[in-house]
Amino acid sequence: MIKKYFAALSATALIGVAPYAMAASSTDLTVTGIITPKACAPSLSDGGMVDVGKVQATDLLPTQYTRVGSHPMQLTVACDASTLFALNGIDNKAGTSSSNQYFGLGLTSNNEKIGYFTPSIQSALADGQPVHSIRSIDNGASWTRFYQILKDNLTSTSAVGTLIPISVKDLTMELTIYTFIARADSLTLADDVAIDG
């Protein structure tokens, strides 16, 4: 009888301790996310490829940048429904541009910055209507009229004569991609150098 009583008491003690042991070794699981009602897909004509061809080292200006290309390209953004959006220019060759605002063209074998390229906005249509291109350098807090897509800047569109971004379903921008090679006296050009922007 006493053995049964101790066995029952021991079981009760274990059950009483078990919840405290589990609570002391718990952890939180957090699930977050955003349900996006509208999606937008950007695309570039020619697969986003610009080929400046072969550039002769002797054609480069010794103490100034040399423009080696101006290529037309079309940027389109198609959304499921009209929405506010902005383009954010990200340089896939970060740290290689010879100009802080523009996109890099890679490095020579001696780690010299080859040059830069910049997309210039010639015109823009939002849902078939002419619009202005605008940019923000403070993450959308303020906007100015601007004609280029720069890295780490937001680019959007506004109604003609305003600086307030508008909702757009289908955007078309006619661009010109200008490519510049750094001054020749800053580059080692004994061998072929691949332009890689």
Side-chain angles (χ1 to χ4, degrees):
M1 180 78 170
I2 293 177
K3 284 185 180 179
K4 287 183 182 177
Y5 174 77
F6 281 128
L9 187 59
S10 297
T12 304
L14 287 174
I15 292 169
V17 171
Y20 296 106
M22 289 176 66
S25 59
S26 67
T27 186
D28 290 332
L29 170 65
T30 304
V31 178
T32 63
I34 297 173
I35 297 174
T36 305
K38 302 165 193 156
C40 298
S43 62
L44 289 164
S45 60
D46 301 321
M49 296 294 294
V50 170
D51 186 355
V52 298
K54 288 189 175 184
V55 178
Q56 298 296 324
T58 54
D59 293 336
L60 298 178
L61 299 171
T63 59
Q64 300 176 52
Y65 284 90
T66 304
R67 191 173 85 185
V68 295
S70 56
H71 294 83
M73 184 170 284
Q74 189 177 80
L75 168 67
T76 60
V77 180
C79 301
D80 293 338
S82 187
T83 188
L84 284 170
F85 67 86
L87 304 167
N88 181 23
I90 299 171
D91 191 352
N92 288 336
K93 298 294 178 182
T96 72
S97 177
S98 56
S99 176
N100 288 336
Q101 292 182 312
Y102 305 123
F103 300 90
L105 295 176
L107 301 171
T108 68
S109 58
N110 291 336
N111 287 323
E112 301 153 338
K113 297 175 180 179
I114 295 170
Y116 67 87
F117 72 92
T118 178
S120 177
I121 302 166
Q122 306 302 313
S123 64
L125 292 176
D127 300 323
Q129 299 300 311
V131 290
H132 280 166
S133 56
I134 54 177
R135 78 157 175 166
S136 176
I137 59 173
D138 54 14
N139 205 32
S142 63
W143 296 87
T144 57
R145 181 87 171 92
F146 211 69
Y147 300 91
Q148 290 176 297
I149 298 174
L150 300 180
K151 66 179 182 180
D152 304 320
N153 284 214
L154 296 180
T155 302
S156 192
T157 55
S158 66
V160 174
T162 73
L163 295 173
I164 301 168
I166 58 172
S167 293
V168 177
K169 183 177 184 296
D170 295 301
L171 173 68
T172 303
M173 281 186 174
E174 300 299 333
L175 307 176
T176 300
I177 312 302
Y178 292 106
T179 306
F180 293 85
I181 302 298
R183 43 192 290 169
D185 65 1
S186 70
L187 301 172
T188 303
L189 300 171
D191 299 307
D192 285 353
V193 175
I195 297 172
D196 183 20

